[in-house]
Amino acid sequence: MASVSVVVPPCELNEALANQSSFFATASGAALQVREPEPEALPEKWARSRRRATWSSKASTASGYAESGTSGSPRSTCSIAGSVVSLSASPEGCRRVQDALDKAASDSERELLVSELHGHAIKAMRCPHANHVLQKCISIMSPASLQFLIDELLVHEGLVRKVAMHRYGGRIVQQLLRTCEASQLRGLAEAVLQNAVELSCHTFGNFAVQHLLEFGTAEQKYGLVRIIERNMQRVARSAPGGGVIAAALSHAAAEDLVWIARAAIQDPALLA
């Protein structure tokens, strides 16, 4: 079969190759091979057309990267890697970290970012900005991934009480009590029980007791009811303590409420 080679301008070549084939059968049966002309054979107007096409292609590619967020730089969730602790301590930075946690492609990628907070959890709990990062972690990560928070709270005796009474740290204790498994929370719940009276009378600490009354085990709720019973006068006479008693009445087992009722009637002033 005869073969004929034809030089075609770029603009016409694009149309000729639209079907992704470089050979077309002619009526005479000869094979027509379409090829692009060599650079030196290009008239100036064709060369200009080729340069415009190349620039347009590059611009389109760059635009596509910008829209998809997949530029040549690392993914946005990875762009904060190595800086999670420092970023979490500032208003703008903590929002960046929370956004990265939300947009992480997988749980493993999210856990890799959060691993930078290990060993810094207590400081983050007390930070007006970083505590929001920890709250984000609690809201979107599995309970098992939050174990480091519980472990760091239990490193030193009395630390749970201090953090629970903190303006920002108290939020973390409350959300852990709400979210994590009972098997994870034994140590944390025990620390709340040991300090239940002081926490119940504290402006922020009382919320940890209320959360344990709502989300704790039956045994933990019973333990709190008996503590309230034995310390009714002190708890009931404090403004925060009133919220704790209300929580006990709402969430304790019906058969345990008798202990609170007995304690209340022994001090008529409490019923006035």
Side-chain angles (χ1 to χ4, degrees):
M1 180 183 293
S3 177
V4 180
S5 181
V6 180
V7 176
V8 181
C11 55
E12 297 178 17
L13 179 63
N14 290 337
E15 297 178 4
L17 297 181
N19 63 357
Q20 302 298 316
S21 175
S22 59
F23 292 91
F24 303 87
T26 64
S28 62
L32 177 63
Q33 182 180 6
V34 181
R35 64 183 178 83
E36 187 175 1
E38 296 299 324
E40 59 270 15
L42 288 174
E44 178 58 26
K45 65 177 183 178
W46 292 1
R48 287 196 300 269
S49 174
R50 187 177 189 178
R51 286 195 295 270
R52 285 195 298 269
T54 301
W55 179 88
S56 176
S57 175
K58 291 180 178 178
S60 176
T61 301
S63 175
Y65 281 144
E67 290 178 3
S68 64
T70 55
S71 63
S73 59
R75 297 168 57 103
S76 60
T77 54
C78 296
S79 65
I80 66 168
S83 304
V84 172
V85 174
S86 58
L87 286 172
S88 297
S90 69
E92 179 60 30
C94 80
R95 287 190 286 269
R96 284 185 59 192
V97 176
Q98 291 178 72
D99 186 60
L101 291 173
D102 274 331
K103 295 180 179 178
S106 63
D107 289 340
S108 59
E109 184 177 290
R110 187 175 292 115
E111 289 177 4
L112 185 62
L113 291 175
V114 173
S115 68
E116 296 184 30
L117 292 169
H118 292 192
H120 304 277
I122 301 303
K123 184 176 180 180
M125 291 178 192
R126 293 167 166 169
C127 175
H129 311 299
N131 83 89
H132 294 289
V133 173
L134 297 183
Q135 290 187 68
K136 172 63 69 175
C137 293
I138 295 171
S139 69
I140 65 176
M141 298 181 72
S142 67
S145 300
L146 305 174
Q147 185 63 44
F148 78 99
L149 296 173
I150 299 172
D151 292 343
E152 292 189 35
L153 279 167
L154 298 176
V155 167
H156 300 295
E157 186 176 353
L159 193 53
V160 171
R161 178 184 64 83
K162 291 179 180 179
V163 175
M165 295 169 66
H166 192 273
R167 177 183 296 271
Y168 307 122
R171 303 171 184 174
I172 307 304
V173 173
Q174 294 159 33
Q175 292 195 28
L176 289 172
L177 291 170
R178 175 191 292 268
T179 304
C180 290
E181 303 291 341
S183 58
Q184 293 178 274
L185 292 172
R186 290 193 185 99
L188 183 60
E190 182 61 30
V192 172
L193 282 163
Q194 289 176 359
N195 298 278
V197 177
E198 184 178 5
L199 291 174
S200 295
C201 300
H202 189 269
T203 303
F204 304 120
N206 79 90
F207 294 110
V209 180
Q210 291 192 48
H211 273 68
L212 189 58
L213 281 165
E214 182 173 359
F215 301 104
T217 65
E219 182 181 359
Q220 291 162 355
K221 293 180 181 181
Y222 174 76
L224 283 172
V225 167
R226 296 308 304 268
I227 291 172
I228 293 171
E229 175 218 354
R230 292 192 295 269
N231 298 274
M232 176 61 76
Q233 289 192 11
R234 181 178 173 185
V235 173
R237 292 181 186 279
S238 70
V244 171
I245 293 173
L249 294 173
S250 297
H251 304 296
E255 59 270 23
D256 294 337
L257 297 181
V258 64
W259 299 107
I260 295 178
R262 287 176 179 174
I265 61 176
Q266 290 179 12
D267 187 349
L270 298 176
L271 304 176

